[in-house]
Amino acid sequence: MAPSSPPPPETAPLPAATPQPSPRLPGATTTPTPTPSPFSPLPGTAQTRDFDTYRLGPGDSFFVSVPRFPELSFQATLDIQGNIIVPLEGAVTFNGLTLAQAEARIAQIYDQYVVNPRVNITLVAQRGVQVTILGEVVRPGFYPLGAPQISTALLTAGGTTGRADLRAVRIQRQLFNGEYIENTIDLFTPLKEGFSLPDVALQDGDVIVVERLDPGQLDEYDQALVSRSTLAQAQIVIRVLNYGAGGGRGSALTTVALPNGSRFIDAIANGGVSPDSTNIGQIALIRFDEEAGQAVTTILDGGAAFRGDPVQNPPLQHNDVIIMNRTFLARLTYGLNTFTQPFRDVLGFLLFFDSLSNSAENLFRP
């Protein structure tokens, strides 16, 4: 009797093989795995338990203590291949192992030579890492860090901007198996309550994303407090434009660098403004509204600010512009409303005011 035909390939038993990360059906085409965007939702975010698991790599140093056999204790640094020299054994790889796994490996090695060795490992020096920092920081980019802490990373990128929301700083990480996980860190509450910042050890390849503050949540967030912290950019730059300064018809533009967290009177005091020659009772504070693409003008009483009125002495923000001279304010308002709205971005806003230092007399003629 002729043998029966074999079943179709789709239903035939598959031969035993080593499990693959991404098995595919016979005849299926292979689609390259897309590189996830750092801003996209990441798979496996529920595995936050793995986020605190530190894995050894080249450059890490640890001390091995064997209490009952002190002659077997040693300190070593993983070489570029992730190996160390273990007494009695020689070169052993520890790349990618957790500290607990490293302890177990050394205990297994020593168990060949002594009875029931107890091994303790202490990480004495963590390797430097390279991370990507995105979002509301002064200089987003790719940075090497000698101290792999979240605060060090933010400071290396120039600090957070005045639009940053520190309640939800995201750290994204790719695990050794290729899976991505994400952890969200609240840095604002510790600042507000006076506690220490979360001790989050960054790892090589981490992506840090600082979200932008929702304008609708300003009442729930103390921007002034954040601006005075070490997490924010250290300095802000203010422009003070005093039209008719010194009795002339031109305008004097002064660029003032102030500590972040400074207030209105700090700019007046450091901008070379003389109360004898300038009307400080009506000063314009002009700020660029990125959402609307417009300049927002607030008229302040400098005299009341110096007398301690907090309403007339608001906190300043980076790239604020202060305008002196009541007559010029009227002409400036006319120009803003007639010719220059909306601004495309903050650069256009700043270039507009920079141009006034030389051509204010000719730009506006109501």
Side-chain angles (χ1 to χ4, degrees):
M1 182 176 178
S4 59
S5 301
E10 289 79 8
T11 59
L14 296 175
T18 303
Q20 299 297 320
S22 301
R24 58 189 180 93
L25 295 175
T29 59
T30 301
T31 303
T33 302
T35 301
S37 165
F39 292 100
S40 302
L42 299 176
T45 55
Q47 297 187 11
T48 53
R49 58 184 176 82
D50 292 332
F51 215 90
D52 295 329
T53 301
Y54 186 78
R55 295 184 179 275
L56 296 168
D60 284 331
S61 295
F62 58 74
F63 176 73
V64 177
S65 173
V66 189
R68 292 176 52 219
F69 306 96
E71 64 276 9
L72 297 180
S73 299
F74 68 96
Q75 181 171 328
T77 300
L78 274 68
D79 63 18
I80 194 171
Q81 285 84 30
N83 300 330
I84 65 169
I85 302 300
V86 178
L88 302 179
E89 183 71 12
V92 179
T93 182
F94 287 83
N95 192 41
L97 298 186
T98 66
L99 293 179
Q101 291 170 339
E103 288 180 350
R105 176 164 293 186
I106 294 178
Q108 184 181 30
I109 292 172
Y110 283 168
D111 193 48
Q112 303 173 78
Y113 306 99
V114 296
V115 178
N116 296 327
R118 182 165 58 89
V119 175
N120 298 314
I121 289 183
T122 303
L123 186 65
V124 296
Q126 185 177 337
R127 67 188 183 275
V129 300
Q130 298 186 28
V131 301
T132 300
I133 309 172
L134 304 174
E136 292 300 326
V137 291
V138 176
R139 297 184 300 273
F142 183 69
Y143 293 97
L145 302 177
Q149 282 84 35
I150 183 69
S151 57
T152 303
L154 297 180
L155 290 176
T156 302
T160 59
T161 71
R163 301 179 300 273
D165 188 347
L166 295 185
R167 293 171 297 188
V169 177
R170 295 187 288 130
I171 305 175
Q172 301 171 349
R173 177 174 300 165
Q174 185 176 18
L175 302 179
F176 274 72
N177 62 2
E179 186 178 8
Y180 284 87
I181 60 173
E182 178 176 302
N183 199 6
T184 301
I185 308 298
D186 179 3
L187 300 178
F188 174 72
T189 300
L191 287 177
K192 181 180 178 181
E193 303 296 334
F195 299 147
S196 300
L197 295 178
D199 185 16
V200 180
L202 300 175
Q203 296 190 21
D204 201 47
D206 281 356
V207 177
I208 302 167
V209 183
V210 182
E211 298 288 354
R212 174 170 293 194
L213 181 65
D214 184 350
Q217 298 181 352
L218 293 178
D219 293 339
E220 307 169 11
Y221 191 79
D222 191 345
Q223 289 179 292
L225 173 65
V226 174
S227 68
R228 296 191 298 270
S229 74
T230 57
L231 298 179
Q233 62 185 110
Q235 283 191 328
I236 57 176
V237 176
I238 308 298
R239 287 166 170 77
V240 179
L241 183 60
N242 189 7
Y243 181 66
R249 295 174 60 84
S251 57
L253 177 67
T254 304
T255 301
V256 183
L258 298 171
N260 201 350
S262 296
R263 290 183 170 268
F264 174 66
I265 58 173
D266 298 315
I268 302 302
N270 289 274
V273 177
S274 172
D276 298 330
S277 59
T278 305
N279 177 18
I280 65 171
Q282 191 177 33
I283 301 175
L285 174 63
I286 305 178
R287 180 170 295 166
F288 180 62
D289 184 344
E290 289 194 1
E291 300 296 329
Q294 294 181 339
V296 178
T297 302
T298 303
I299 303 300
L300 299 171
D301 184 344
F306 278 107
R307 290 192 295 270
D309 185 349
V311 176
Q312 302 298 319
N313 188 30
L316 296 172
Q317 293 184 15
H318 186 56
N319 291 327
D320 279 351
V321 177
I322 294 174
I323 304 293
M324 304 290 186
N325 189 292
R326 181 180 303 174
T327 302
F328 184 57
L329 287 180
R331 304 175 71 182
L332 175 63
T333 302
Y334 170 81
L336 287 173
N337 294 335
T338 305
F339 299 111
T340 63
Q341 296 303 309
F343 292 106
R344 285 175 43 181
D345 52 30
V346 68
L347 178 60
F349 169 78
L350 295 176
L351 289 176
F352 167 77
F353 286 100
D354 287 345
S355 68
L356 297 184
S357 61
N358 296 320
S359 55
E361 180 67 22
N362 300 320
L363 282 175
F364 309 117
R365 293 185 183 277

